[in-house]
Amino acid sequence: MAIAHRAIGSGPHPVIVLHDWFGTSAGWGSVLDFLDRTAFTYAFLDCRGYGDRKYVPGRFDLPEIAGDALALADQLGWERFSLVGHSMGGKAMQQVLVDAPHRVNRMVGLAPVPAGAYPMDDATRELFYGASKDPAKRRAIIDLVTGHRASPVWLDRMVRHSLDISREEAHAAYLASWQPLDLSEAVADAAKRHSVPVRVVVGAYDLALTADLMRETWQRWYPQAEIVTIEGSGHYPMHETPVALATTVEEFLRA
């Protein structure tokens, strides 16, 4: 069965884009208006249980996302491609690298979850693991990672979108996959055998996935990784600072 996806552009550089825990291929804000459609072809993939694939059955874990990304590349005739991954999608794209390092040209992580297990204290664990059933917890997480700066209208819209476009069981299962999963040794080995250029983009107001955390994790496993901080943004630069995000991503992909 063909894998549904959102295609943007018709350029010679193919890019597969993986969304975050709360988003979908349709949740990229106005950044889509500023992408170079003549230089790149973007394929935005919905994870199973989300968006246009909301009712596609699955295990709802990171290896499955990676398998679907590779299957989509095959479907599109892309032997090699670059990857862009946001948050959970940033960890999923590292699973793609582990599974098929020879196929990956470049990787851009947007506030990406690192390859190691993501540590949580008891309060954080209760907040995150309760979010699939509790909209208020989803709102609290989005408010936290945008630095308690976003308008209540935008926060409410983000929560409503996440509830409407994902199945509760899929949302819960993905967290149970990405939070404890430790890919660090596997990605370090893949990065050593296949030197893949990496750029990590973080928002200055993201209180969870900070530049310091990226230096401690991503640059340990990818010594060549560049870390870029976008001022004026938190965890969602595609909504908060779309022009700056499009510029930073495509500048790196073009290099």
Side-chain angles (χ1 to χ4, degrees), residues 22 31 61 129 170 209 213 238:
F22 288 123
V31 74
D61 59 20
Y129 277 87
L209 292 162
L213 178 63
M238 60 286 296

Side-chain angles (χ1 to χ4, degrees), residues 18 67 83-84 101 124 127 166 170 177-178 188 193 195 203 210 219 228 255:
L18 304 176
L83 289 161
V84 174
T124 303
L127 176 65
S166 65
S177 175
W178 67 254
R193 291 184 293 108
S195 182
T210 64
Q219 284 188 328
V228 176

Side-chain angles (χ1 to χ4, degrees), residues 185-196:
E185 289 187 10
V187 300
D189 180 65
K192 186 180 297 184
R193 291 184 293 108
H194 298 270
S195 182
V196 177

Side-chain angles (χ1 to χ4, degrees), residues 61-224:
D61 59 20
L62 261 63
E64 186 172 73
I65 297 174
D68 283 352
L70 290 167
L72 177 59
D74 291 340
Q75 176 181 311
L76 296 171
W78 295 352
E79 178 57 32
R80 291 180 61 85
F81 49 86
S82 292
L83 289 161
V84 174
H86 178 219
S87 197
M88 175 183 80
K91 192 164 186 175
M93 78 175 180
Q94 295 178 84
Q95 182 73 65
V96 177
L97 179 70
V98 168
D99 293 347
H102 57 286
R103 300 189 66 176
V104 179
N105 287 323
R106 290 176 167 259
M107 298 199 308
V108 181
L110 310 179
V113 177
Y118 188 77
M120 292 183 178
D121 59 24
D122 290 345
T124 303
R125 186 175 183 84
E126 180 182 0
L127 176 65
F128 274 71
Y129 277 87
S132 297
K133 291 183 177 295
D134 187 346
K137 286 183 168 64
R138 297 194 191 208
R139 194 181 194 277
I141 292 169
I142 297 170
D143 188 31
L144 171 71
V145 299
T146 49
H148 306 299
R149 300 164 54 253
S151 75
V153 172
W154 182 81
L155 290 172
D156 291 343
R157 181 176 297 178
M158 291 290 286
V159 172
R160 184 75 261 159
H161 178 72
S162 75
L163 291 168
D164 289 345
I165 53 73
S166 65
R167 287 162 54 191
E168 182 182 305
E169 63 269 30
H171 192 264
Y174 283 122
L175 174 62
S177 175
W178 67 254
Q179 185 264 322
L181 181 64
D182 188 352
L183 292 170
S184 56
E185 289 187 10
V187 300
D189 180 65
K192 186 180 297 184
R193 291 184 293 108
H194 298 270
S195 182
V196 177
V198 177
R199 174 170 283 187
V200 175
V201 180
V202 294
Y205 293 99
D206 191 335
L207 300 181
L209 292 162
T210 64
D212 285 343
L213 178 63
M214 299 304 136
R215 282 188 283 270
E216 294 167 4
T217 56
W218 280 79
Q219 284 188 328
R220 184 195 314 169
W221 303 312
Y222 308 92
Q224 79 282 16

